[in-house]
Amino acid sequence: MTTRILTGITTTGTPHLGNYAGAIRPAIVASRDAKVESFYFLADYHALIKCDDPVRIQRSRLEIAATWLACGLDVNRATFYRQSDIPEIPELCWLLTCVAGKGLLNRAHAYKASVDKNVEAGEDPDAGVTMGLFSYPVLMAADILMFNAHKVPVGRDQIQHVEMARDIAQRFNHLFGQGNELFTLPEAVIEEEVATLPGLDGRKMSKSYDNTIPLFGSAKQLKEAIARIVTDSRLPGEAKDPDSSHLFTLYQAFATPVQQAEFRADLLAGLAWGEAKQRLFELLDAELGEARERYQALIGRPAELEDILLAGAAKARRIATPFLGELREAVGLRSFREQVKVAGEGKKKAAKSARFVSFREPDGSFRFRFLAADGEQLLLSRPFSDPKAVGVVSQRLIAQGADALELREDEGDQFTLWLDGECLADSPPYADPEELDAAMLRLRDIIAGLAGAQG
Ligand code: TRP
């Protein structure tokens, strides 16, 4: 089975070298693993929580999208999209909001920090706290659970949020899963090996310390930033200690072992800081030069970026749309055309909660699934253009019962369902002819049960 990896990038800033080494580079490497399905997205709804400057929001979305693509993310492998292009996410967020305990969210670090600050300042505890900030973890849970991610690579400050997503998923499964796992329980992954880069002043490289090296500035900007790296005052010719120099740490994060060893030896032998900076510049320029060109080209063609992201959204929605249909069904937001469940209750055991679940495809067509009482999928319909057709067909199946039902075995491992000479639905594939036969019998039985229950 493949592992689903998912992570979001809040679109409030411009990516710097620290983001590249700590998040972007490892994520892109991970996405090339054939055993992994990766989902990377721009968390632009989350960005709105922290930023009310539309220009900055838009700029950052564009820059971050271009950065990931320029750094080599292959959108044919990974699913790369904007959160705000997936309407199923805010809808799921509401379903989760309705089961998330307020007490759970009261404990979120980000919210608590705001409250503590207010209290210290003698203000109302919730001064300046929006519902967006308070509900931040629920939206994040929706991001993760929408795609049933197994692993969520995040920074330490986000572990609690992934744990909350787990809690909320568990609660939802318990309330609505009828013994099935509707949601996969996600796990946070902290990459211990990836570099946390020091910034110009030696503290962790971070926008909030204003000590960053821009990732895709011009070569001149890169050089200027490197010139500002703080070093000790040892003179040219004096031995430098590589292990206490963050310039060396920066170099290490991008150099081969051989390069590292040479640089170390040269520093010990008295290399001047000015020259050391030049070496770091050359190393970074070599690592980033090509990507910088790709980045500039992408930024210059925003319409193309838009197309790439919309294609990513369509790909993501091929999963999100039917899954949300199942979740709506699970909580009781069901079509009135599917009253079989109520009507049939208590009559025949097999039919008790076999059910039709209809959903809309990204292309606008409609389909239904027919699920057994245990949630196993028995049929997936062909697409219909009219949403009513789904209801009509399911009603006819029930009304006409097993006798009208024509099941045809495919050459392969599947069967199809026909009504009045029209192929309406396909079964899932089965392992062998015996299983296939058993599944056909069972389907007849269940449909007969539904018809009986209604009659
Ligand atoms: N909150 C995350 C951050 O600030 C970004 C994010 C949003 C995210 N949704 C997510 C990360 C889902 C992982 C999974 O870093």
Side-chain angles (χ1 to χ4, degrees):
M1 203 188 69
T2 57
T3 303
R4 281 196 181 171
I5 300 189
L6 174 144
T7 200
I9 314 105
T10 308
T11 53
T12 43
T14 302
H16 54 67
L17 200 64
N19 302 134
Y20 173 72
I24 303 171
R25 188 172 58 175
I28 291 175
V29 170
S31 76
R32 294 186 179 135
D33 181 341
K35 291 188 296 298
V36 149
E37 241 185 299
S38 46
F39 294 75
Y40 298 130
F41 68 95
L42 310 184
D44 47 4
Y45 280 139
H46 278 104
L48 298 181
I49 296 170
K50 298 181 194 158
C51 172
D52 58 10
D53 175 356
V55 174
R56 197 163 136 215
I57 294 279
Q58 176 65 340
R59 182 84 208 150
S60 174
R61 292 159 93 227
L62 185 74
E63 286 175 349
I64 293 178
T67 299
W68 280 71
L69 295 172
C71 290
L73 181 69
D74 176 357
V75 293
N76 294 315
R77 265 176 182 282
T79 306
F80 187 53
Y81 54 96
R82 290 176 293 213
Q83 184 186 31
S84 64
D85 283 333
I86 316 287
E88 289 80 4
I89 291 175
E91 187 171 347
L92 174 57
C93 183
W94 183 253
L95 301 188
L96 301 178
T97 299
C98 294
V99 304
K102 178 168 181 290
L104 178 74
L105 295 169
N106 284 341
R107 290 196 291 276
H109 300 320
Y111 168 67
K112 272 205 337 213
S114 294
V115 169
D116 290 349
K117 222 166 106 198
N118 283 332
V119 169
E120 217 169 287
E123 306 231 27
D124 182 272
D126 280 333
V129 175
T130 63
M131 284 308 293
L133 175 65
F134 185 69
S135 307
Y136 184 111
V138 191
L139 179 57
M140 189 160 153
D143 293 331
I144 298 169
L145 302 178
M146 185 83 262
F147 298 101
N148 280 315
H150 301 98
K151 309 243 171 219
V152 184
V154 283
R156 291 194 179 280
D157 60 325
Q158 300 291 320
I159 299 176
Q160 189 195 30
H161 294 152
V162 181
E163 280 166 3
M164 287 183 168
R166 256 182 105 83
D167 278 3
I168 296 170
Q170 242 161 352
R171 182 100 194 264
F172 197 97
N173 283 347
H174 175 71
L175 288 170
F176 303 113
Q178 296 186 311
N180 292 316
E181 295 269 292
L182 287 164
F183 292 127
T184 302
L185 303 185
E187 254 176 72
V189 199
I190 307 296
E191 301 244 13
E192 301 289 356
E193 282 119 76
V194 306
T196 326
L197 288 193
L200 302 177
D201 57 0
R203 289 184 293 173
K204 178 185 171 198
M205 190 180 292
S206 159
K207 205 172 49 188
S208 37
Y209 296 146
D210 193 24
N211 65 357
T212 63
I213 296 179
L215 182 55
F216 292 136
S218 62
K220 184 161 169 273
Q221 283 170 318
L222 179 60
K223 197 168 243 166
E224 280 166 3
I226 290 173
R228 292 198 289 130
I229 293 176
V230 179
T231 59
D232 63 29
S233 52
R234 302 237 160 97
L235 298 173
E238 269 185 82
K240 321 279 188 299
D241 174 15
D243 296 314
S244 64
S245 155
H246 53 276
L247 192 152
F248 184 71
T249 313
L250 281 166
Y251 189 91
Q252 254 182 330
F254 299 94
T256 64
V258 175
Q259 287 173 314
Q260 293 179 30
E262 274 179 30
F263 197 48
R264 171 183 290 278
D266 291 346
L267 284 171
L268 288 169
L271 185 73
W273 283 127
E275 271 176 57
K277 287 181 174 177
Q278 176 62 23
R279 289 245 204 126
L280 176 61
F281 168 76
E282 279 160 18
L283 181 76
L284 291 179
D285 200 48
E287 162 110 8
L288 302 173
E290 265 175 49
R292 185 197 294 138
E293 270 166 41
R294 282 196 296 270
Y295 176 83
Q296 293 303 349
L298 285 162
I299 288 277
R301 293 197 299 270
E304 261 171 51
L305 274 175
E306 180 73 23
D307 288 344
I308 294 172
L309 289 167
L310 288 180
K315 190 166 154 195
R317 292 188 73 195
R318 283 200 279 279
I319 298 172
T321 310
F323 187 39
L324 186 69
E326 282 173 38
L327 297 170
R328 288 177 57 105
E329 164 75 15
V331 300
L333 302 175
R334 298 170 194 163
S335 163
F336 288 159
R337 292 177 198 287
E338 297 153 21
Q339 287 298 328
V340 274
K341 187 168 173 192
V342 182
E345 222 136 46
K347 290 208 175 175
K348 280 220 172 182
K349 196 128 197 264
K352 196 172 162 214
S353 46
R355 56 204 189 270
F356 294 92
V357 184
S358 55
F359 61 90
R360 189 156 182 225
E361 293 279 19
D363 68 5
S365 65
F366 296 85
R367 288 188 198 251
F368 65 80
R369 297 177 203 282
F370 185 55
L371 306 176
D374 62 5
E376 181 192 332
Q377 181 171 314
L378 302 171
L379 292 171
L380 171 66
S381 81
R382 299 282 163 103
F384 299 94
S385 53
D386 177 3
K388 288 194 197 123
V390 173
V392 170
V393 167
S394 50
Q395 288 302 322
R396 266 175 57 210
L397 273 181
I398 294 158
Q400 300 184 321
D403 299 337
L405 206 65
E406 194 191 329
L407 303 180
R408 291 191 198 164
E409 254 178 70
D410 275 354
E411 298 111 66
D413 44 5
Q414 278 175 279
F415 66 85
T416 43
L417 176 140
W418 296 68
L419 202 62
D420 300 337
E422 205 190 331
C423 178
L424 296 179
D426 303 86
S427 78
Y430 292 98
D432 54 48
E434 268 161 46
E435 269 200 38
L436 184 67
D437 279 346
M440 287 167 61
L441 269 180
R442 194 154 59 103
L443 180 69
R444 281 186 189 286
D445 217 38
I446 292 176
I447 300 255
L450 290 176
Q454 277 237 316

